Amino acid sequence: MGIQMSTYRKWKVRIPYLHSYNHRMAQRGREIMIKISDAEWKIMNVLWEEQPRTMMQITKELQEETGWTKHTVMTYLKRMESKKIIHYVEGEKAKLYYTDLDRKEAVIQEEQNFLNRVFKGNRGLMMTTMLEQEKLTDEDIDELIRILEKRKGE
């Protein structure tokens, strides 16, 4: 994990950021969560399945589902590189892409973003809404009770 300098275009100032798996950038003592678009999630999921991958391998993997061309994938990869969530290494014939963002950390950030955006940070309201909308099996209910009892003792 190294500290590097990055130019933040909106304010045209150089701010330090930490390049690490949890991949949060520091700006004036606050943390900024990296926002990942739906399209970027698709690419990240392909890379999390197997790394490294070339642009053409990613395109082939997503072609049927998305209809994307290599040019579309290239655009997303460049955008993701600028967000520092992926990087590449020059291979013999093509760039080899790797993720710089841990899947678990990305899911936690996305959940927190969703919670704040939709439920104004109210986790209880989110859980109640989700549980009321889904048909739960007895096994699901037993698992939820086990998790809640464990958390209650913490």
Side-chain angles (χ1 to χ4, degrees):
M1 178 166 69
I3 296 178
Q4 302 173 358
M5 294 301 286
S6 176
T7 303
Y8 194 70
R9 292 182 188 168
K10 184 175 180 181
W11 294 298
K12 294 184 179 163
V13 295
R14 290 173 59 82
I15 59 172
Y17 69 87
L18 296 177
H19 183 70
S20 66
Y21 278 109
N22 72 5
H23 200 69
R24 294 174 188 239
M25 293 187 296
Q27 178 209 5
R28 298 182 191 154
R30 295 179 311 196
E31 289 184 334
I32 300 171
M33 289 190 186
I34 302 297
K35 291 187 180 177
I36 302 173
S37 71
D38 290 345
E40 292 165 346
W41 272 101
K42 289 180 189 308
I43 293 172
M44 291 298 286
N45 282 321
V46 168
L47 287 172
W48 281 321
E49 285 174 16
E50 183 181 340
Q51 309 181 54
R53 294 220 183 172
T54 66
M55 178 191 58
M56 290 309 293
Q57 289 171 326
I58 295 167
T59 302
K60 185 177 180 183
E61 180 80 22
L62 294 171
Q63 178 81 51
E64 189 174 318
E65 176 188 351
T66 63
W68 293 345
T69 66
K70 68 179 183 179
H71 302 289
T72 303
V73 172
M74 188 177 357
T75 299
Y76 286 125
L77 290 171
K78 286 179 182 177
R79 189 177 303 163
M80 295 165 74
E81 283 176 68
S82 72
K83 290 182 177 184
K84 307 286 187 210
I85 58 176
I86 65 168
H87 73 277
Y88 68 87
V89 173
E90 287 290 345
E92 288 183 30
K93 295 183 179 182
K95 294 176 180 176
L96 301 172
Y97 288 91
Y98 297 84
T99 63
D100 288 332
L101 184 61
D102 181 67
R103 176 180 249 156
K104 184 176 179 181
E105 181 66 23
V107 169
I108 290 168
Q109 286 185 21
E110 188 68 18
E111 182 267 337
Q112 189 63 45
N113 184 29
F114 174 77
L115 178 66
N116 290 335
R117 188 177 70 246
V118 177
F119 295 99
K120 296 183 181 176
N122 188 330
R123 197 171 304 273
L125 178 60
M126 179 183 76
M127 295 300 296
T128 301
T129 303
M130 290 178 162
L131 291 173
E132 288 176 348
Q133 299 302 315
E134 293 294 321
K135 173 139 177 60
L136 300 174
T137 66
D138 287 344
E139 292 82 20
D140 293 335
I141 293 169
D142 290 341
E143 178 70 8
L144 285 169
I145 290 170
R146 186 188 64 72
I147 292 168
L148 291 172
E149 285 176 348
K150 180 181 177 187
R151 292 297 307 258
K152 188 175 184 179
E154 291 178 356

